Amino acid sequence: MNVVTPPSTVLPDQLSVAAEQGRICALAAQGQRDLQRHADRYPDLFAGRAFDATLFSSIALAIAFGAPWCTAEQLRVTNRMVLWGFALDWRIDYLATSRADVDRVVAGALAVAEGASPDADDPLGRLLAGLRDDLAEVPAFAELGDAWRAAVRRTVTAMAREWDWKTARDREGAPLPGFTEYLANADNLACTVVNVAHWISTGDAETHRRLDRLVTVSDEVQRVLRLVNDLATYERDLEWGDLNALLLVDDRVEVDQRIVELVERCTELLAPLSGGCPLQAAYLARQIGFSSGFYRSADFWGPR
């Protein structure tokens, strides 16, 4: 194989940086292919235009840049957990036409998380059951499974709560939630549930020992990502009828300031973790950094 000699004006450190970024992109490419193959097993879940190739690529890129020290195999469960979050969001936010529809989705997810077999006509449940079974192969899951089940419960409950807010506004003219109440419901972003799965499947003994603490910090990071997402997707949210933090404040500055405060809080919380769990602290910090850059010019969802 011929090696291209770079121009002498290219600094050596730029070569190493680009090589590392190229390696991470290759890791993401492997993740994207796995996500596409996995999604093909559930055509009823991922048939809409919103689930385009760019969504799969963006998921894989986010996870690869968040944990570049992992292998593609190690990130398989993490990537697929994100995919479940998007499928769940689509089912509740855009396909459900009644509270009964939402209740079926929530009940199905909770039953599967607790160990039940999914119904044959429940592809979302089958997707979650596969993830549950993959996690169960990790010895620590016997002890940490409750943390994952709790994260699943919080996620589906938060998405159902947002559905209630939206439909009450649309059908009854009810007031929107307050900014603080909305932010407290940030589990609807499905970030912490992904992180819990990631830490169970890839973490060492110290990571597992500190899982409760990591979840606490993840919840703060999740709030940052909720607001960063909202700032970037305001126009799309208006078009799709979604809630958005900017609808709940008088001035965007309030959201900007809350992000600054939350990032400062995250920095304080991450510092003590850097000693015993340096990779996991870096993983959370990199989530904030990646999302802050990504949402400047892109979005995960494809066209509706």
Side-chain angles (χ1 to χ4, degrees), residues 26-48:
L27 183 63
Q30 295 175 73
Q32 179 184 355
R33 290 191 177 106
D34 177 77
L35 284 173
Q36 185 65 68
R37 288 192 296 266
H38 201 58
D40 289 344
R41 301 184 183 114
Y42 304 92
D44 293 342
L45 282 181
F46 304 108

Side-chain angles (χ1 to χ4, degrees), residues 132-179:
R132 178 201 64 200
D133 295 345
D134 285 341
L135 288 169
E137 295 179 3
V138 180
F141 190 71
E143 180 181 352
L144 302 177
D146 283 347
W148 178 74
R149 286 184 283 272
V152 170
R153 186 178 307 110
R154 289 168 54 192
T155 300
V156 297
T157 301
M159 289 192 184
R161 184 177 297 117
E162 183 177 12
W163 187 91
D164 286 337
W165 287 337
K166 286 170 43 178
T167 54
R169 175 197 62 181
D170 295 341
R171 297 176 183 176
E172 305 164 16
L176 292 172
F179 181 36

